[in-house]
């Protein structure tokens, strides 16, 4: 088991290194001044900028990684302005990406929790009644859900549930922490007419994310439900399931303690594989419901009125890819905890592959 974890850590470190090299190569090749990622161009002298431009690539890469590891990705080009004394100021990209990542993380995490709460029970229920009316009904609903684009689902929910029926907020985002009274009063007095008043608190945060969570989960629920159903049908035919039933265990205990525990491993693997797609789906959901997450921030950086905001684009790319790689490592460790035979199975698979190569 320890050897398997060390191998996965090694693969993760190699992938992170390749990712950093790839993004640094993009920094050097884009039609912009690469010195801006090594020194603060707005606060550096021409001599410092020239020195940064003519540094060897290895030295530039080390400096780039030092800044990136400290969350320093420069200043957003779209927010640069000049103070009265001629001092250029702007929003740090690291802070911008961190705030957007918290929103996207809330959307993806809550969506996956809702997805599993719906897909796992429905898949297990359908497996206990194969080819029945309820099984075919859940299959039909699942096919309809996966065939509908999340943008369409979000717009329909926003039109009817949010705007027409007023059951849930149609758009907007509230932070987990409550805003100060001074911030609320400032918006009411000085903000343009129609500017939403800042909101906060766990209740308001969850209330504004109900429809985005549902839209996100609806896209994946069909696939996960069918995976759970197929795996449960295989597990229910195993000898240990018949033994548990012969010993007098209730059907609920058989499903919970024996069948579902052995059928859940593919779900963990699927979650790790779908992280990248989930961030892409989150981009659509954030656009519909006006959530200031990574997807919406990326779209604004790509479609700025004065051109693309390169530091924001590359910072989101690096952070998102790093999160995907690390979450895949976490999923492998969780899968190993659920099924310790995974390490032996994959180890034998690597040995067979090495034998064929030899």
């Amino acid at each position: 088991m320890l050897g398997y974890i060390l191998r996965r850590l090694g693969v993760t470190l190699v992938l992170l290194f390749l990712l950093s090299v790839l993004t640094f190569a993009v920094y050097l090749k884009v039609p912009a001044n690469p010195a801006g990622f090594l020194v603060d161009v707005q606060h550096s002298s021409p001599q410092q900028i020239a020195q940064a431009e003519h540094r060897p690539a290895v030295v530039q890469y080390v400096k780039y990684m030092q800044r990136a590891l400290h969350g320093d990705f420069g200043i957003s080009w779209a927010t640069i302005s000049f103070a009265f004394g001629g001092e250029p100021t702007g929003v740090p990209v690291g802070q911008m990406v961190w705030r957007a990542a918290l929103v996207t993380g809330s959307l993806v995490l809550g969506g996956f929790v809702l997805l599993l709460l719906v897909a796992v029970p429905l898949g297990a229920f359908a497996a206990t009644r194969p080819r029945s009316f309820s099984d075919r009904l859940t299959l039909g609903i699942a096919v309809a859900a996966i065939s509908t684009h999340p943008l369409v689902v979000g717009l329909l929910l926003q039109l009817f549930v949010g705007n027409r029926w007023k059951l849930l907020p149609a758009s907007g985002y509230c932070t987990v922490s409550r805003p100060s009274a001074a911030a609320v009063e400032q918006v009411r007095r000085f903000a343009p007419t129609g500017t939403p008043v800042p909101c906060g608190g766990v209740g308001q945060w969850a209330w504004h994310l109900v429809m985005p969570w549902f839209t996100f989960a609806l896209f994946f629920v069909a696939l996960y439900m069918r995976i759970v159903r197929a795996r449960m049908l295989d597990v229910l035919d195993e000898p240990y399931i018949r033994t548990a039933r012969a010993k007098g265990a209730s059907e609920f205990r058989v499903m919970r303690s024996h069948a579902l525990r052995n059928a859940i491993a593919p779900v963990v693997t699927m979650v790790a594989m779908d992280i990248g797609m989930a961030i892409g789906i989150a981009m659509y959901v954030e656009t519909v419901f006006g959530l200031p997450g990574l997807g919406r921030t990326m779209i604004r950086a790509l479609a700025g009125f004065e051109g693309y905001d390169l530091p924001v684009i590359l910072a989101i790319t690096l952070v998102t890819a790093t999160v995907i790689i690390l979450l895949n490592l976490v999923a492998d460790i969780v899968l190993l905890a659920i099924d310790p035979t995974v390490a032996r199975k994959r180890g034998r698979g690597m040995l067979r592959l090495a034998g064929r190569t030899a």
Side-chain angles (χ1 to χ4, degrees):
M1 182 181 295
L2 180 60
Y4 173 77
I5 295 177
L6 292 177
R7 288 196 302 270
R8 290 297 300 136
L9 283 173
V11 172
T12 300
L13 292 176
V14 171
L15 290 176
L16 290 175
F17 171 73
L18 294 176
L19 172 65
S20 64
V21 172
L22 180 61
T23 53
F24 179 70
V26 174
Y27 284 173
L28 293 180
K29 296 300 181 181
V30 291
N33 188 357
F37 303 103
L38 305 176
V39 297
D40 192 347
V41 176
Q42 288 79 25
H43 297 82
S44 302
S45 64
Q47 293 78 10
Q48 292 174 322
I49 297 175
Q51 182 181 5
E53 290 175 345
H54 295 89
R55 288 177 182 175
V58 176
V59 177
Q60 295 185 40
Y61 172 76
V62 172
K63 183 65 176 178
Y64 156 76
M65 286 304 301
Q66 288 176 351
R67 294 187 63 182
L69 290 174
H70 288 84
D72 183 6
F73 297 98
I75 294 177
S76 170
W77 290 353
T79 62
I80 291 179
S81 60
F82 293 90
F84 292 104
E87 184 77 11
T89 60
V91 178
V93 175
Q95 296 180 10
M96 184 184 300
V97 173
W98 172 249
R99 290 195 297 265
L102 291 178
V103 179
T104 301
S106 301
L107 173 61
V108 174
L109 181 60
F112 265 117
V113 170
L114 179 61
L115 157 69
L116 296 178
L117 289 176
V118 173
V120 173
L122 284 180
F125 175 78
T128 59
R129 294 166 176 80
R131 299 182 182 85
S132 64
F133 173 77
S134 58
D135 183 26
R136 297 182 187 277
L137 179 62
T138 54
L139 174 61
I141 296 175
V143 171
I146 201 172
S147 302
T148 307
H149 198 280
L151 189 62
V152 176
V153 176
L155 289 174
L156 290 175
L157 287 175
Q158 189 179 54
L159 174 62
F160 291 99
V161 179
N163 294 328
R164 182 168 299 182
W165 299 333
K166 307 294 183 181
L167 298 178
L168 292 169
S171 62
Y173 178 78
C174 294
T175 58
V176 177
S177 59
R178 295 183 180 276
S180 62
V184 174
E185 186 65 23
Q186 185 177 10
V187 171
R188 288 176 175 172
R189 286 188 176 185
F190 304 108
T193 304
T195 303
V197 178
C199 59
V202 177
Q204 287 292 326
W205 168 79
W207 187 245
H208 280 75
L209 284 174
V210 170
M211 282 203 296
W213 282 340
F214 186 81
T215 305
F216 178 90
L218 193 62
F219 182 81
F220 292 97
V221 69
L223 178 61
Y224 280 76
M225 190 181 69
R226 303 314 294 177
I227 291 293
V228 172
R229 177 186 179 277
R231 181 58 183 160
M232 285 288 290
L233 288 174
D234 293 337
V235 171
L236 289 174
D237 287 335
E238 294 292 334
Y240 60 84
I241 297 295
R242 293 193 293 269
T243 302
R245 285 171 174 166
K247 289 182 177 180
S250 64
E251 190 66 18
F252 177 77
R253 183 177 180 182
V254 170
M255 295 292 294
R256 183 197 63 185
S257 302
H258 300 281
L260 194 57
R261 181 178 180 181
N262 290 278
I264 206 69
V267 176
V268 178
T269 305
M270 289 291 296
V271 169
M273 294 173 59
D274 287 338
I275 290 297
M277 184 185 297
I279 295 175
I281 298 300
M283 181 180 298
Y284 292 107
V285 178
E286 290 168 2
T287 303
V288 173
F289 295 103
L291 303 179
L294 290 175
R296 197 177 181 203
T297 304
M298 175 69 87
I299 291 175
R300 288 181 173 179
L302 288 169
F305 292 106
E306 300 178 356
Y308 54 82
D309 197 340
L310 186 62
V312 175
I313 295 171
L314 294 176
I316 292 177
T317 302
L318 181 62
V319 170
T320 303
T322 302
V323 169
I324 292 173
I325 293 172
L326 293 178
L327 286 179
N328 275 272
L329 173 63
V330 172
D332 284 337
I333 296 176
V334 172
L335 185 60
L336 183 63
I338 295 174
D339 185 7
T341 63
V342 169
R344 294 194 295 270
K345 292 177 182 177
R346 295 192 179 182
R348 289 195 296 267
M350 293 297 293
L351 290 175
R352 286 197 297 269
L353 181 60
R356 291 173 184 173
T357 305

